[in-house]
Amino acid sequence: MIYCVGETLYDIVFRNEKPEWALPGGGMFNCAMSLSHAGADVQLITELGDDKIGNLIRKSLNSAGVKDDYLRISNNNSTLALAFLDVKGNADYQFYKAYPEKAPELTVPDFRKEDVLIFGSLYSVDHRNRGNIIKLAMAAKNTGTIIIYDPNFRKSHAAKLPDVLPLIKENVSLADIVRGSDEDFSLISDAESSMAAYDFIQQVGCKNLIVTRNSQGVDLFAGETPLLHFDALPVKIVSTIGAGDAFNAGFACQVHQFGRIPSSPEEWNIAISNGLSFAAEVCASRDNYIKPHTK
C-alpha cells in the first residue's frame, strides 16, 4: 500500500486574469490520483469539509479507486486555491482555508515494511497538524516503511520560514528520500545549486535527495552513488500544476514495486524515469494527475 498524507483542496485556475478551468487538487490528492490511475493501491489520509466541494472531491477519489478509509470530514468548508498561470504555465497561488481550529485525530494505519508513505507541503509543518504528522511518520519509520518527503515550499510561504524551518528539518530527518524542486531548496536553505541542497539535506540527516529543476531535468544524490543527472522530457506545457506531484507518484509507484529504496544506479534510473514520464504527461494537459493507464 502507498499512503499519501496531506491537504486536499479545489483548484480554480486563472489565465490572463480569467478563470479557465477548475478541478480537485492539493499535492497529496494529486499524487494519490496519479498512483491509482497507474494501478497502485493507495490510501489518501486527508481532511475535507462537509460541503458540495468536499462531496465533489470525494466522488473524484472514489471514481479513481483511491481508498479513503482514513479520511476525516469536518463541518467546515473545504479549502479553495486560486492558481494564476503565467505565460510559461507556472502558477502563483492564493488560498482560502476554513479548517476547524483543532485538527482531527488521524488513525495510524498498520504500516508494513513494503509500504510507502509520502507526505509534505505546508500542511506537514502547520503546528495545527504537527501531532498527526509526527505520529504517522514515526509509526512508519518504526515499521521500516519507505518514507518520501516533499517540502513543496512556495514563495507565498516565505514569511513563515523562520517558524517552520525546524519542522522542515525534522521532516527531512524522518525521511528515507527527499524530493524537492530547486526553488524549494533556494527558499528553504539559500541553496544555489543541487549540491548545496544536498549538503543541507545531509546535515539534517537524510542520505537520498532528488532535485527537480523544471526544464533543466533532475539531479540525484544517493549515498555512495555518484551524482546522476536526468534530462527532462520534451513537452509542450499547458500547465505545470501537479507536475511535481505526478513525479512523486511515478517515482513512488516504481519504488513500491521494488519493495525497497533503489539500490543501484539502474534502479534509480528506472524510478526517476517513471517520475519524469508522469510529470511530462501532466504538464501537457489541464489535469493535475495522469490519466488512467491500461492495466
Side-chain angles (χ1 to χ4, degrees):
M1 183 67 68
I2 303 176
Y3 296 90
C4 300
V5 182
E7 184 174 43
T8 297
L9 46 78
Y10 197 77
D11 284 328
I12 302 173
V13 184
F14 288 73
R15 194 191 297 274
N16 298 324
E17 301 182 347
K18 294 181 179 180
E20 287 206 359
W21 71 88
L23 74 172
M28 294 304 144
F29 173 91
N30 296 338
C31 186
M33 291 287 284
S34 284
L35 282 164
S36 190
H37 284 169
D41 289 328
V42 56
Q43 287 272 7
L44 177 62
I45 304 176
T46 190
E47 302 175 54
L48 287 176
D50 185 15
D51 58 2
K52 290 184 178 180
I53 291 295
N55 292 336
L56 188 157
I57 292 172
R58 195 166 189 182
K59 286 180 181 178
S60 295
L61 290 171
N62 293 339
S63 65
V66 177
K67 297 177 176 63
D68 62 0
D69 298 343
Y70 302 93
L71 176 66
R72 292 292 179 266
I73 304 291
S74 74
N75 292 326
N76 296 57
N77 290 332
S78 300
T79 298
L80 295 178
L82 307 187
F84 299 89
L85 297 181
D86 63 17
V87 294
K88 295 182 178 180
N90 298 315
D92 282 330
Y93 292 88
Q94 194 166 328
F95 297 94
Y96 294 87
K97 300 182 180 183
Y99 283 132
E101 184 176 347
K102 184 178 179 181
E105 184 173 351
L106 299 180
T107 302
V108 176
D110 292 326
F111 290 117
R112 300 174 299 174
K113 189 173 183 180
E114 60 268 28
D115 293 335
V116 175
L117 171 68
I118 311 173
F119 75 109
S121 300
L122 198 64
Y123 185 92
S124 72
V125 292
D126 187 324
H127 291 283
R128 169 190 180 274
N129 308 320
R130 196 61 187 164
N132 282 323
I133 293 296
I134 291 299
K135 180 172 66 174
L136 290 164
M138 288 302 299
K141 193 172 186 68
N142 290 337
T143 312
T145 295
I146 299 167
I147 301 176
I148 300 173
Y149 172 57
D150 175 6
N152 198 15
F153 195 81
R154 306 184 186 282
K155 288 180 181 179
S156 58
H157 303 153
K160 299 179 182 289
L161 183 61
D163 181 47
V164 303
L165 183 57
L167 307 183
I168 292 174
K169 290 181 176 180
E170 187 174 23
N171 289 346
V172 170
S173 72
L174 291 168
D176 297 298
I177 303 166
V178 174
R179 199 293 300 176
S181 68
D182 50 355
E183 182 180 4
D184 287 334
F185 297 112
S186 175
L187 291 167
I188 292 168
S189 64
D190 292 324
E192 296 182 355
S193 67
S194 296
M195 180 61 75
Y198 188 49
D199 288 341
F200 168 76
I201 293 299
Q202 281 188 299
Q203 290 169 12
V204 176
C206 184
K207 295 181 180 179
N208 303 303
L209 172 67
I210 299 168
V211 182
T212 49
R213 301 168 53 206
N214 295 322
S215 62
Q216 300 302 309
V218 174
D219 293 332
L220 166 71
F221 302 85
E224 300 301 318
T225 301
L227 165 67
L228 296 176
H229 176 77
F230 304 81
D231 291 334
L233 300 179
V235 61
K236 184 176 181 181
I237 293 176
V238 174
S239 166
T240 61
I241 298 172
D245 310 323
F247 180 95
N248 291 343
F251 176 78
C253 190
Q254 192 61 60
V255 168
H256 187 245
Q257 290 183 30
F258 290 151
R260 63 181 183 279
I261 299 169
S263 58
S264 67
E266 291 75 19
E267 288 185 351
W268 283 107
N269 179 66
I270 292 169
I272 288 177
S273 295
N274 205 44
L276 285 167
S277 176
F278 279 34
E281 180 178 334
V282 166
C283 284
S285 76
R286 289 185 169 189
D287 292 327
N288 294 352
Y289 26 83
I290 67 168
K291 298 184 183 303
H293 287 187
T294 302
K295 298 181 182 179

PDB file of all heavy atoms in Angstrom, residues 112-143:
ATOM      1  N   ARG A 112       3.406  -1.553   6.935  1.00  0.00           N
ATOM      2  CA  ARG A 112       4.257  -2.706   6.705  1.00  0.00           C
ATOM      3  C   ARG A 112       5.543  -2.241   6.033  1.00  0.00           C
ATOM      4  O   ARG A 112       5.603  -1.164   5.448  1.00  0.00           O
ATOM      5  CB  ARG A 112       3.542  -3.730   5.828  1.00  0.00           C
ATOM      6  CG  ARG A 112       2.239  -4.264   6.412  1.00  0.00           C
ATOM      7  CD  ARG A 112       1.530  -5.155   5.415  1.00  0.00           C
ATOM      8  NE  ARG A 112       1.187  -4.406   4.203  1.00  0.00           N
ATOM      9  CZ  ARG A 112       0.662  -4.963   3.104  1.00  0.00           C
ATOM     10  NH1 ARG A 112       0.444  -6.264   3.069  1.00  0.00           N
ATOM     11  NH2 ARG A 112       0.367  -4.219   2.054  1.00  0.00           N
ATOM     12  N   LYS A 113       6.558  -3.080   6.105  1.00  0.00           N
ATOM     13  CA  LYS A 113       7.863  -2.709   5.561  1.00  0.00           C
ATOM     14  C   LYS A 113       7.796  -2.433   4.073  1.00  0.00           C
ATOM     15  O   LYS A 113       8.514  -1.570   3.555  1.00  0.00           O
ATOM     16  CB  LYS A 113       8.879  -3.817   5.851  1.00  0.00           C
ATOM     17  CG  LYS A 113      10.316  -3.441   5.520  1.00  0.00           C
ATOM     18  CD  LYS A 113      11.298  -4.505   5.985  1.00  0.00           C
ATOM     19  CE  LYS A 113      12.725  -4.061   5.699  1.00  0.00           C
ATOM     20  NZ  LYS A 113      13.707  -5.091   6.158  1.00  0.00           N
ATOM     21  N   GLU A 114       6.930  -3.132   3.363  1.00  0.00           N
ATOM     22  CA  GLU A 114       6.847  -2.966   1.907  1.00  0.00           C
ATOM     23  C   GLU A 114       5.992  -1.773   1.490  1.00  0.00           C
ATOM     24  O   GLU A 114       5.868  -1.474   0.303  1.00  0.00           O
ATOM     25  CB  GLU A 114       6.304  -4.234   1.255  1.00  0.00           C
ATOM     26  CG  GLU A 114       4.924  -4.643   1.715  1.00  0.00           C
ATOM     27  CD  GLU A 114       4.926  -5.615   2.882  1.00  0.00           C
ATOM     28  OE1 GLU A 114       5.888  -5.582   3.676  1.00  0.00           O
ATOM     29  OE2 GLU A 114       3.965  -6.393   2.997  1.00  0.00           O
ATOM     30  N   ASP A 115       5.397  -1.058   2.442  1.00  0.00           N
ATOM     31  CA  ASP A 115       4.579   0.115   2.143  1.00  0.00           C
ATOM     32  C   ASP A 115       5.443   1.337   1.859  1.00  0.00           C
ATOM     33  O   ASP A 115       6.646   1.364   2.140  1.00  0.00           O
ATOM     34  CB  ASP A 115       3.642   0.428   3.313  1.00  0.00           C
ATOM     35  CG  ASP A 115       2.580  -0.639   3.533  1.00  0.00           C
ATOM     36  OD1 ASP A 115       2.244  -1.352   2.572  1.00  0.00           O
ATOM     37  OD2 ASP A 115       2.093  -0.753   4.674  1.00  0.00           O
ATOM     38  N   VAL A 116       4.801   2.359   1.318  1.00  0.00           N
ATOM     39  CA  VAL A 116       5.441   3.659   1.098  1.00  0.00           C
ATOM     40  C   VAL A 116       4.545   4.738   1.706  1.00  0.00           C
ATOM     41  O   VAL A 116       3.320   4.705   1.530  1.00  0.00           O
ATOM     42  CB  VAL A 116       5.648   3.942  -0.410  1.00  0.00           C
ATOM     43  CG1 VAL A 116       6.213   5.350  -0.624  1.00  0.00           C
ATOM     44  CG2 VAL A 116       6.565   2.893  -1.038  1.00  0.00           C
ATOM     45  N   LEU A 117       5.146   5.679   2.419  1.00  0.00           N
ATOM     46  CA  LEU A 117       4.441   6.840   2.961  1.00  0.00           C
ATOM     47  C   LEU A 117       4.995   8.091   2.302  1.00  0.00           C
ATOM     48  O   LEU A 117       6.212   8.316   2.302  1.00  0.00           O
ATOM     49  CB  LEU A 117       4.631   6.927   4.479  1.00  0.00           C
ATOM     50  CG  LEU A 117       4.117   8.212   5.151  1.00  0.00           C
ATOM     51  CD1 LEU A 117       2.598   8.280   5.094  1.00  0.00           C
ATOM     52  CD2 LEU A 117       4.599   8.299   6.598  1.00  0.00           C
ATOM     53  N   ILE A 118       4.114   8.919   1.735  1.00  0.00           N
ATOM     54  CA  ILE A 118       4.512  10.192   1.119  1.00  0.00           C
ATOM     55  C   ILE A 118       3.807  11.317   1.863  1.00  0.00           C
ATOM     56  O   ILE A 118       2.592  11.276   2.067  1.00  0.00           O
ATOM     57  CB  ILE A 118       4.106  10.248  -0.371  1.00  0.00           C
ATOM     58  CG1 ILE A 118       4.543   8.986  -1.113  1.00  0.00           C
ATOM     59  CG2 ILE A 118       4.710  11.482  -1.036  1.00  0.00           C
ATOM     60  CD1 ILE A 118       4.009   8.913  -2.535  1.00  0.00           C
ATOM     61  N   PHE A 119       4.571  12.336   2.286  1.00  0.00           N
ATOM     62  CA  PHE A 119       3.950  13.485   2.943  1.00  0.00           C
ATOM     63  C   PHE A 119       4.742  14.732   2.610  1.00  0.00           C
ATOM     64  O   PHE A 119       5.848  14.669   2.075  1.00  0.00           O
ATOM     65  CB  PHE A 119       3.863  13.265   4.461  1.00  0.00           C
ATOM     66  CG  PHE A 119       5.165  13.411   5.207  1.00  0.00           C
ATOM     67  CD1 PHE A 119       5.379  14.513   6.031  1.00  0.00           C
ATOM     68  CD2 PHE A 119       6.169  12.461   5.123  1.00  0.00           C
ATOM     69  CE1 PHE A 119       6.569  14.654   6.741  1.00  0.00           C
ATOM     70  CE2 PHE A 119       7.353  12.581   5.822  1.00  0.00           C
ATOM     71  CZ  PHE A 119       7.553  13.690   6.632  1.00  0.00           C
ATOM     72  N   GLY A 120       4.154  15.895   2.932  1.00  0.00           N
ATOM     73  CA  GLY A 120       4.870  17.134   2.655  1.00  0.00           C
ATOM     74  C   GLY A 120       3.980  18.348   2.601  1.00  0.00           C
ATOM     75  O   GLY A 120       2.867  18.356   3.139  1.00  0.00           O
ATOM     76  N   SER A 121       4.475  19.378   1.920  1.00  0.00           N
ATOM     77  CA  SER A 121       3.814  20.675   1.754  1.00  0.00           C
ATOM     78  C   SER A 121       3.678  21.404   3.094  1.00  0.00           C
ATOM     79  O   SER A 121       4.113  20.920   4.137  1.00  0.00           O
ATOM     80  CB  SER A 121       2.443  20.507   1.088  1.00  0.00           C
ATOM     81  OG  SER A 121       2.582  19.908  -0.178  1.00  0.00           O
ATOM     82  N   LEU A 122       3.077  22.592   3.042  1.00  0.00           N
ATOM     83  CA  LEU A 122       2.940  23.400   4.248  1.00  0.00           C
ATOM     84  C   LEU A 122       2.052  22.705   5.275  1.00  0.00           C
ATOM     85  O   LEU A 122       2.195  22.930   6.473  1.00  0.00           O
ATOM     86  CB  LEU A 122       2.364  24.778   3.894  1.00  0.00           C
ATOM     87  CG  LEU A 122       2.570  25.878   4.951  1.00  0.00           C
ATOM     88  CD1 LEU A 122       4.047  26.181   5.127  1.00  0.00           C
ATOM     89  CD2 LEU A 122       1.813  27.137   4.571  1.00  0.00           C
ATOM     90  N   TYR A 123       1.164  21.847   4.814  1.00  0.00           N
ATOM     91  CA  TYR A 123       0.289  21.099   5.723  1.00  0.00           C
ATOM     92  C   TYR A 123       1.106  20.339   6.766  1.00  0.00           C
ATOM     93  O   TYR A 123       0.715  20.233   7.930  1.00  0.00           O
ATOM     94  CB  TYR A 123      -0.567  20.123   4.918  1.00  0.00           C
ATOM     95  CG  TYR A 123      -1.604  19.361   5.717  1.00  0.00           C
ATOM     96  CD1 TYR A 123      -2.898  19.854   5.860  1.00  0.00           C
ATOM     97  CD2 TYR A 123      -1.301  18.130   6.300  1.00  0.00           C
ATOM     98  CE1 TYR A 123      -3.859  19.155   6.579  1.00  0.00           C
ATOM     99  CE2 TYR A 123      -2.251  17.420   7.011  1.00  0.00           C
ATOM    100  CZ  TYR A 123      -3.527  17.940   7.161  1.00  0.00           C
ATOM    101  OH  TYR A 123      -4.466  17.239   7.876  1.00  0.00           O
ATOM    102  N   SER A 124       2.258  19.799   6.353  1.00  0.00           N
ATOM    103  CA  SER A 124       3.046  18.945   7.242  1.00  0.00           C
ATOM    104  C   SER A 124       3.842  19.730   8.282  1.00  0.00           C
ATOM    105  O   SER A 124       4.383  19.127   9.220  1.00  0.00           O
ATOM    106  CB  SER A 124       4.008  18.075   6.426  1.00  0.00           C
ATOM    107  OG  SER A 124       5.060  18.847   5.883  1.00  0.00           O
ATOM    108  N   VAL A 125       3.940  21.054   8.114  1.00  0.00           N
ATOM    109  CA  VAL A 125       4.673  21.863   9.100  1.00  0.00           C
ATOM    110  C   VAL A 125       3.765  22.897   9.770  1.00  0.00           C
ATOM    111  O   VAL A 125       4.241  23.797  10.452  1.00  0.00           O
ATOM    112  CB  VAL A 125       5.902  22.563   8.461  1.00  0.00           C
ATOM    113  CG1 VAL A 125       6.950  21.537   8.069  1.00  0.00           C
ATOM    114  CG2 VAL A 125       5.503  23.412   7.252  1.00  0.00           C
ATOM    115  N   ASP A 126       2.466  22.749   9.562  1.00  0.00           N
ATOM    116  CA  ASP A 126       1.489  23.575  10.271  1.00  0.00           C
ATOM    117  C   ASP A 126       1.382  23.036  11.693  1.00  0.00           C
ATOM    118  O   ASP A 126       1.147  21.841  11.901  1.00  0.00           O
ATOM    119  CB  ASP A 126       0.140  23.487   9.555  1.00  0.00           C
ATOM    120  CG  ASP A 126      -0.896  24.446  10.105  1.00  0.00           C
ATOM    121  OD1 ASP A 126      -0.903  24.666  11.340  1.00  0.00           O
ATOM    122  OD2 ASP A 126      -1.700  24.969   9.314  1.00  0.00           O
ATOM    123  N   HIS A 127       1.551  23.907  12.700  1.00  0.00           N
ATOM    124  CA  HIS A 127       1.527  23.451  14.089  1.00  0.00           C
ATOM    125  C   HIS A 127       0.218  22.744  14.427  1.00  0.00           C
ATOM    126  O   HIS A 127       0.192  21.838  15.268  1.00  0.00           O
ATOM    127  CB  HIS A 127       1.762  24.634  15.024  1.00  0.00           C
ATOM    128  CG  HIS A 127       3.149  25.182  14.952  1.00  0.00           C
ATOM    129  ND1 HIS A 127       4.229  24.562  15.545  1.00  0.00           N
ATOM    130  CD2 HIS A 127       3.651  26.292  14.335  1.00  0.00           C
ATOM    131  CE1 HIS A 127       5.331  25.262  15.316  1.00  0.00           C
ATOM    132  NE2 HIS A 127       5.001  26.310  14.572  1.00  0.00           N
ATOM    133  N   ARG A 128      -0.856  23.144  13.762  1.00  0.00           N
ATOM    134  CA  ARG A 128      -2.155  22.506  13.979  1.00  0.00           C
ATOM    135  C   ARG A 128      -2.094  21.008  13.665  1.00  0.00           C
ATOM    136  O   ARG A 128      -2.735  20.189  14.321  1.00  0.00           O
ATOM    137  CB  ARG A 128      -3.196  23.179  13.093  1.00  0.00           C
ATOM    138  CG  ARG A 128      -4.534  22.460  13.000  1.00  0.00           C
ATOM    139  CD  ARG A 128      -5.389  23.086  11.912  1.00  0.00           C
ATOM    140  NE  ARG A 128      -6.682  22.430  11.777  1.00  0.00           N
ATOM    141  CZ  ARG A 128      -6.886  21.356  11.024  1.00  0.00           C
ATOM    142  NH1 ARG A 128      -5.885  20.832  10.333  1.00  0.00           N
ATOM    143  NH2 ARG A 128      -8.097  20.810  10.949  1.00  0.00           N
ATOM    144  N   ASN A 129      -1.342  20.643  12.629  1.00  0.00           N
ATOM    145  CA  ASN A 129      -1.309  19.269  12.140  1.00  0.00           C
ATOM    146  C   ASN A 129      -0.119  18.471  12.657  1.00  0.00           C
ATOM    147  O   ASN A 129      -0.004  17.275  12.355  1.00  0.00           O
ATOM    148  CB  ASN A 129      -1.252  19.271  10.606  1.00  0.00           C
ATOM    149  CG  ASN A 129      -2.328  20.122   9.979  1.00  0.00           C
ATOM    150  OD1 ASN A 129      -3.465  20.134  10.442  1.00  0.00           O
ATOM    151  ND2 ASN A 129      -1.978  20.859   8.928  1.00  0.00           N
ATOM    152  N   ARG A 130       0.750  19.120  13.401  1.00  0.00           N
ATOM    153  CA  ARG A 130       2.051  18.524  13.695  1.00  0.00           C
ATOM    154  C   ARG A 130       1.961  17.206  14.467  1.00  0.00           C
ATOM    155  O   ARG A 130       2.698  16.269  14.195  1.00  0.00           O
ATOM    156  CB  ARG A 130       2.913  19.534  14.467  1.00  0.00           C
ATOM    157  CG  ARG A 130       4.386  19.165  14.485  1.00  0.00           C
ATOM    158  CD  ARG A 130       4.931  19.134  13.080  1.00  0.00           C
ATOM    159  NE  ARG A 130       6.290  18.617  13.050  1.00  0.00           N
ATOM    160  CZ  ARG A 130       6.909  18.189  11.975  1.00  0.00           C
ATOM    161  NH1 ARG A 130       6.285  18.212  10.806  1.00  0.00           N
ATOM    162  NH2 ARG A 130       8.136  17.725  12.016  1.00  0.00           N
ATOM    163  N   GLY A 131       1.051  17.144  15.420  1.00  0.00           N
ATOM    164  CA  GLY A 131       0.923  15.917  16.196  1.00  0.00           C
ATOM    165  C   GLY A 131       0.586  14.724  15.316  1.00  0.00           C
ATOM    166  O   GLY A 131       1.160  13.636  15.473  1.00  0.00           O
ATOM    167  N   ASN A 132      -0.350  14.914  14.379  1.00  0.00           N
ATOM    168  CA  ASN A 132      -0.713  13.837  13.468  1.00  0.00           C
ATOM    169  C   ASN A 132       0.435  13.438  12.552  1.00  0.00           C
ATOM    170  O   ASN A 132       0.677  12.253  12.313  1.00  0.00           O
ATOM    171  CB  ASN A 132      -1.912  14.257  12.614  1.00  0.00           C
ATOM    172  CG  ASN A 132      -3.234  14.171  13.347  1.00  0.00           C
ATOM    173  OD1 ASN A 132      -3.446  13.270  14.144  1.00  0.00           O
ATOM    174  ND2 ASN A 132      -4.123  15.119  13.075  1.00  0.00           N
ATOM    175  N   ILE A 133       1.145  14.435  12.029  1.00  0.00           N
ATOM    176  CA  ILE A 133       2.242  14.148  11.102  1.00  0.00           C
ATOM    177  C   ILE A 133       3.329  13.334  11.790  1.00  0.00           C
ATOM    178  O   ILE A 133       3.813  12.320  11.253  1.00  0.00           O
ATOM    179  CB  ILE A 133       2.827  15.462  10.539  1.00  0.00           C
ATOM    180  CG1 ILE A 133       1.803  16.164   9.636  1.00  0.00           C
ATOM    181  CG2 ILE A 133       4.126  15.201   9.780  1.00  0.00           C
ATOM    182  CD1 ILE A 133       1.419  15.397   8.393  1.00  0.00           C
ATOM    183  N   ILE A 134       3.735  13.749  12.975  1.00  0.00           N
ATOM    184  CA  ILE A 134       4.794  13.036  13.695  1.00  0.00           C
ATOM    185  C   ILE A 134       4.328  11.634  14.066  1.00  0.00           C
ATOM    186  O   ILE A 134       5.087  10.654  13.954  1.00  0.00           O
ATOM    187  CB  ILE A 134       5.222  13.827  14.946  1.00  0.00           C
ATOM    188  CG1 ILE A 134       5.954  15.108  14.527  1.00  0.00           C
ATOM    189  CG2 ILE A 134       6.129  12.975  15.835  1.00  0.00           C
ATOM    190  CD1 ILE A 134       7.224  14.869  13.731  1.00  0.00           C
ATOM    191  N   LYS A 135       3.101  11.506  14.496  1.00  0.00           N
ATOM    192  CA  LYS A 135       2.567  10.191  14.874  1.00  0.00           C
ATOM    193  C   LYS A 135       2.615   9.229  13.681  1.00  0.00           C
ATOM    194  O   LYS A 135       3.048   8.073  13.821  1.00  0.00           O
ATOM    195  CB  LYS A 135       1.141  10.355  15.377  1.00  0.00           C
ATOM    196  CG  LYS A 135       0.469   9.068  15.815  1.00  0.00           C
ATOM    197  CD  LYS A 135      -0.872   9.341  16.493  1.00  0.00           C
ATOM    198  CE  LYS A 135      -1.881   9.932  15.542  1.00  0.00           C
ATOM    199  NZ  LYS A 135      -3.236  10.059  16.157  1.00  0.00           N
ATOM    200  N   LEU A 136       2.185   9.700  12.522  1.00  0.00           N
ATOM    201  CA  LEU A 136       2.180   8.857  11.333  1.00  0.00           C
ATOM    202  C   LEU A 136       3.600   8.539  10.859  1.00  0.00           C
ATOM    203  O   LEU A 136       3.913   7.376  10.547  1.00  0.00           O
ATOM    204  CB  LEU A 136       1.403   9.553  10.215  1.00  0.00           C
ATOM    205  CG  LEU A 136      -0.112   9.654  10.406  1.00  0.00           C
ATOM    206  CD1 LEU A 136      -0.695  10.680   9.442  1.00  0.00           C
ATOM    207  CD2 LEU A 136      -0.774   8.293  10.181  1.00  0.00           C
ATOM    208  N   ALA A 137       4.450   9.563  10.805  1.00  0.00           N
ATOM    209  CA  ALA A 137       5.811   9.361  10.305  1.00  0.00           C
ATOM    210  C   ALA A 137       6.615   8.438  11.215  1.00  0.00           C
ATOM    211  O   ALA A 137       7.362   7.575  10.741  1.00  0.00           O
ATOM    212  CB  ALA A 137       6.521  10.699  10.148  1.00  0.00           C
ATOM    213  N   MET A 138       6.471   8.608  12.515  1.00  0.00           N
ATOM    214  CA  MET A 138       7.209   7.762  13.452  1.00  0.00           C
ATOM    215  C   MET A 138       6.730   6.320  13.388  1.00  0.00           C
ATOM    216  O   MET A 138       7.530   5.377  13.457  1.00  0.00           O
ATOM    217  CB  MET A 138       7.084   8.309  14.871  1.00  0.00           C
ATOM    218  CG  MET A 138       7.854   9.584  15.118  1.00  0.00           C
ATOM    219  SD  MET A 138       9.643   9.415  14.788  1.00  0.00           S
ATOM    220  CE  MET A 138      10.086   8.132  15.975  1.00  0.00           C
ATOM    221  N   ALA A 139       5.424   6.125  13.252  1.00  0.00           N
ATOM    222  CA  ALA A 139       4.900   4.762  13.135  1.00  0.00           C
ATOM    223  C   ALA A 139       5.429   4.091  11.877  1.00  0.00           C
ATOM    224  O   ALA A 139       5.803   2.906  11.893  1.00  0.00           O
ATOM    225  CB  ALA A 139       3.374   4.792  13.122  1.00  0.00           C
ATOM    226  N   ALA A 140       5.476   4.844  10.779  1.00  0.00           N
ATOM    227  CA  ALA A 140       6.010   4.295   9.533  1.00  0.00           C
ATOM    228  C   ALA A 140       7.499   3.985   9.665  1.00  0.00           C
ATOM    229  O   ALA A 140       7.972   2.934   9.234  1.00  0.00           O
ATOM    230  CB  ALA A 140       5.767   5.284   8.394  1.00  0.00           C
ATOM    231  N   LYS A 141       8.233   4.898  10.265  1.00  0.00           N
ATOM    232  CA  LYS A 141       9.677   4.709  10.417  1.00  0.00           C
ATOM    233  C   LYS A 141       9.983   3.493  11.286  1.00  0.00           C
ATOM    234  O   LYS A 141      10.896   2.708  10.986  1.00  0.00           O
ATOM    235  CB  LYS A 141      10.302   5.967  11.020  1.00  0.00           C
ATOM    236  CG  LYS A 141      11.830   6.009  10.929  1.00  0.00           C
ATOM    237  CD  LYS A 141      12.355   7.349  11.355  1.00  0.00           C
ATOM    238  CE  LYS A 141      13.878   7.445  11.129  1.00  0.00           C
ATOM    239  NZ  LYS A 141      14.207   7.445   9.685  1.00  0.00           N
ATOM    240  N   ASN A 142       9.231   3.327  12.348  1.00  0.00           N
ATOM    241  CA  ASN A 142       9.461   2.197  13.257  1.00  0.00           C
ATOM    242  C   ASN A 142       9.152   0.854  12.609  1.00  0.00           C
ATOM    243  O   ASN A 142       9.653  -0.188  13.049  1.00  0.00           O
ATOM    244  CB  ASN A 142       8.624   2.367  14.526  1.00  0.00           C
ATOM    245  CG  ASN A 142       9.117   3.505  15.400  1.00  0.00           C
ATOM    246  OD1 ASN A 142      10.284   3.893  15.321  1.00  0.00           O
ATOM    247  ND2 ASN A 142       8.238   4.050  16.233  1.00  0.00           N
ATOM    248  N   THR A 143       8.327   0.895  11.564  1.00  0.00           N
ATOM    249  CA  THR A 143       7.967  -0.335  10.858  1.00  0.00           C
ATOM    250  C   THR A 143       8.907  -0.615   9.697  1.00  0.00           C
ATOM    251  O   THR A 143       8.877  -1.703   9.115  1.00  0.00           O
ATOM    252  CB  THR A 143       6.518  -0.240  10.334  1.00  0.00           C
ATOM    253  OG1 THR A 143       5.663   0.222  11.375  1.00  0.00           O
ATOM    254  CG2 THR A 143       5.998  -1.575   9.861  1.00  0.00           C
TER     255      THR A 143
END
